[in-house]
Amino acid sequence: MLAAVKGDEEDTYTYHHHIGVGVLATLIGRWIGLEKTDLSLLTLAAVLHDVGKVKISEDLWLKPGKLTDEEFAEIKLHTIYGYELLKDTIGLSPRVAKVALLHHERSDGNGYPLGLKGTRLDSFSRIVAVADVFHAMSSKRPYRDVLSFHEIVSRMRKGTFGQIDPHISAMFLDNMILSLIGRNVRLTDGQVGEVVYINPHDDIHPLVRIGESFVNLSEQQQLHIAEVIV
């Protein structure tokens, strides 16, 4: 029974992660002006980016504690497994397999599995890397709670999750924040309100309307956006 429950938990996360990364990557593709054919290819590559997970033990993905070096080495193999699964698939563009292989590479060469740098990384892989990090940090996992929206944006801007493409990341985060206008958000004190203005000098601390009152997060920096309410 426990194995079944664990399997269901991982299956649910994996499904939502694949779809979520696909949606976010598609948004990025639209924002940078990809042609329709390339946009469709990017979406497919993003949805399939983690397919290699099927060859990794569920116990590793669901482990609540810190992974050993050996366990992390096995986790990293999902990129190679995904590439191997996709590269010879009839009718599938080689770029889809390349995204599965390279979405954990980083611009400074500190990613895996090949340690590639900068422009040696396929543009689709760099886009999916940004979408992958944002969605993963927005999701609850057995070993980590969901990070607040404010914290995810702040950490991505600081490069806490590795040196993902700075131009794609900045464009993505800027557009995500601008899209908050008119959206409901939950603040870190539990209050729910509507974002009505983005401060161009401090965009992560917007003006929020709560009932008949307004809260300027730029002036109350102990308060942050915890989550965007869908």
Side-chain angles (χ1 to χ4, degrees), residues 139-157:
S139 306
K140 182 175 176 58
R141 305 296 287 122
Y143 48 84
R144 173 186 44 75
D145 287 331
V146 177
L147 297 181
S148 71
F149 178 84
H150 170 271
E151 191 167 3
I152 295 168
V153 173
S154 297
R155 289 193 185 189
M156 287 183 72
R157 284 177 167 171

Side-chain angles (χ1 to χ4, degrees), residues 44 48 86-87 89-97:
L44 179 61
L48 294 176
L86 297 172
K87 68 182 180 67
T89 301
I90 296 174
L92 200 63
S93 167
R95 293 191 78 178
V96 176

Side-chain angles (χ1 to χ4, degrees), residues 54-127:
V54 299
K55 292 198 171 186
I56 302 291
S57 167
E58 286 181 357
D59 290 337
L60 283 186
W61 292 112
L62 292 169
K63 183 177 178 179
K66 184 177 180 180
L67 296 173
T68 65
D69 290 343
E70 293 77 13
E71 289 170 335
F72 186 51
E74 184 175 347
I75 287 286
K76 291 193 289 187
L77 290 176
H78 81 278
T79 55
I80 296 173
Y81 293 151
Y83 175 76
E84 293 294 333
L85 286 168
L86 297 172
K87 68 182 180 67
D88 295 323
T89 301
I90 296 174
L92 200 63
S93 167
R95 293 191 78 178
V96 176
K98 188 177 289 186
V99 167
L101 180 66
L102 302 179
H103 67 278
H104 280 290
E105 298 286 357
R106 296 295 181 257
S107 298
D108 57 3
N110 286 323
Y112 64 85
L114 304 178
L116 300 182
K117 292 184 178 181
T119 55
R120 294 189 65 193
L121 299 176
D122 179 83
S123 61
F124 282 7
S125 300
R126 286 181 272 143
I127 290 171

